[in-house]
Amino acid sequence: MTQAMKVSLSQQPAAAQWGSATVSFAADGAQIHLSDGDQARQIQAAARKLTQQGINSVSLTGEWTQAQQWRFAAGFGGTMDGGNIEWANDNEALDARRDAALWLKSLIHASPEALSPEVLADEVAERLCAVAPAHITTKRIVGDALLTAGWVGIHGVGRGSVRPPVMLELDYNPTGDHDAPVAIALVGKGITFDSGGYSLKPSASMVSMKCDMGGAATVAAALKLAIRSGLNKRVKLFLCCAENLVSGHAYKLGDILHYKNGTSVEIVNTDAEGRLVLADGLIAANEAGAERIIDAATLTGAAMTAVGGDYNALFTVDDQAASDALAAAAAGDEGLWRLPLAPFHANKCPSSFADTANSTTQKGGGAGGASNAAGFLSRFAGAPAKGWIHLDLAGVYSEGGNSMHHDGATALGLMTVTNLLLQD
């Protein structure tokens, strides 16, 4: 077994022979040299440098805050091997966080062939039931049974694949009261592979589309972590799982879907499929009577253009919900930025043949594409959509990696959703 490299923090610059290096080495280990400015990012970047040096086992020594250790963990390890970290303190809490983050990443990194919609639903149900078996019940609706149940979005998007689409409903109820109110409903986009359908993506854009179930992975991992952290209120989880493929059975441009809440939707872009499956999840969350609804999805390239990979995008029509979400992100040291969402955004995807289209014919949904997508979702979030939070996960995946993250899943958003679940 490789001996762990000791890593400590220093507020002093490296010795002269190291020049302006931010990481230096001695016989007893490595030092990260912090300077004025954003020290959290400095720690994360230093963890990347240590990983790139081939170091995969570290022991954090000396004075570290919990937040500093978590930032180090965010930058440490590779795509295939997360490495080993011995914490300086707060071992139990940090172990629980890292377990959730590594599980989240493993789901996103799984190949599309390995992670079908049913496998994703089963994996989430199995892992969460193992954490609190006495308090969790699950229900799966699969394939054509979705159509019978009225979940036309998940069925429509997933019908082009030979591997059936699934809605997973998971009920975590620690209260002992079968009639306890649902405090929060989580809704996750679980597109296990997105070809774009008949609005076919180019190969370069398709190669990373195993990450399109990042919303489902994020809310599932957050619920797992929140349960381990003492979550004491009833939460329902709805995962909307499908493969968006091209076949003789696939949904087509010009099709019209008729949702359970009475909304008709014309399909003008089969690559705007995430909002179609989330619409079912939002309706289900409202049917459950949830006091707050949180949905998470790798929904739009427009959000990525707006906030980059260091933030996720926040949409809500409720200022208190926005404050709660931003506070949850800040407490978890995660980037989250509120983008515009007004009632008029619900009408930004007009259709002559239905109540709304699922997008526009312009590339990326046109100007304001992320807000327009959120506006589409607002039609299904309740009337009024009080308490609803939509997270467009711009930063959940780093294609090719960078100075902060390895190639692949970042787990950005995990702590935001976890802290929202644990808020009073």
Side-chain angles (χ1 to χ4, degrees), residues 41 44 307-312 334-336 394-395 402 404-405 412:
R41 287 182 66 86
Q44 187 171 339
V307 301
D310 296 307
Y311 290 84
N312 290 321
E334 292 187 331
L336 183 66
N402 53 44
M404 293 287 124
H405 296 284
L412 185 67

Side-chain angles (χ1 to χ4, degrees), residues 276-363:
L276 297 173
V277 303
L278 286 176
D280 280 338
L282 291 172
I283 293 171
N286 273 286
E287 287 183 351
E291 297 166 7
R292 164 160 287 172
I293 300 172
I294 303 167
D295 80 71
T298 49
L299 201 65
T300 66
M304 297 172 65
T305 299
V307 301
D310 296 307
Y311 290 84
N312 290 321
L314 165 66
F315 297 89
T316 180
V317 294
D318 184 334
D319 289 342
Q320 183 58 56
S323 295
D324 291 344
L326 292 168
D333 193 20
E334 292 187 331
L336 183 66
W337 198 265
R338 188 179 184 183
L339 292 180
L341 177 60
F344 67 77
H345 283 110
N347 299 312
K348 284 288 190 175
C349 300
S351 168
S352 298
F353 302 95
D355 295 326
T356 183
N358 71 321
S359 185
T360 67
T361 56
Q362 290 96 346
K363 180 178 175 59

Side-chain angles (χ1 to χ4, degrees), residues 97-176:
R97 282 192 189 187
R98 194 147 198 261
D99 174 69
L102 291 177
W103 179 48
L104 188 165
K105 290 183 177 185
S106 73
L107 287 172
I108 293 177
H109 292 164
S111 72
E113 181 62 25
L115 197 75
S116 68
E118 286 186 287
V119 170
L120 173 58
D122 289 347
E123 165 81 0
V124 168
E126 180 180 340
R127 288 293 187 102
L128 289 176
C129 285
V131 178
H135 301 310
I136 289 179
T137 57
T138 64
K139 175 184 177 182
R140 295 191 331 157
I141 305 175
V142 183
D144 288 342
L146 288 162
L147 202 56
T148 303
W151 303 125
V152 297
I154 302 171
H155 180 271
V157 171
R159 75 188 195 201
S161 172
V162 296
R163 303 197 292 186
V166 183
M167 177 187 274
L168 171 69
E169 177 183 342
L170 184 146
D171 187 355
Y172 170 70
N173 186 1
T175 68

Side-chain angles (χ1 to χ4, degrees), residues 104 218 222 312 334-335 391 393 395-396 410-418:
L104 188 165
T218 298
N312 290 321
E334 292 187 331
L391 300 174
L393 300 178
V396 78
T410 67
L412 185 67
L414 169 65
M415 294 310 303
T416 300
V417 179
T418 301

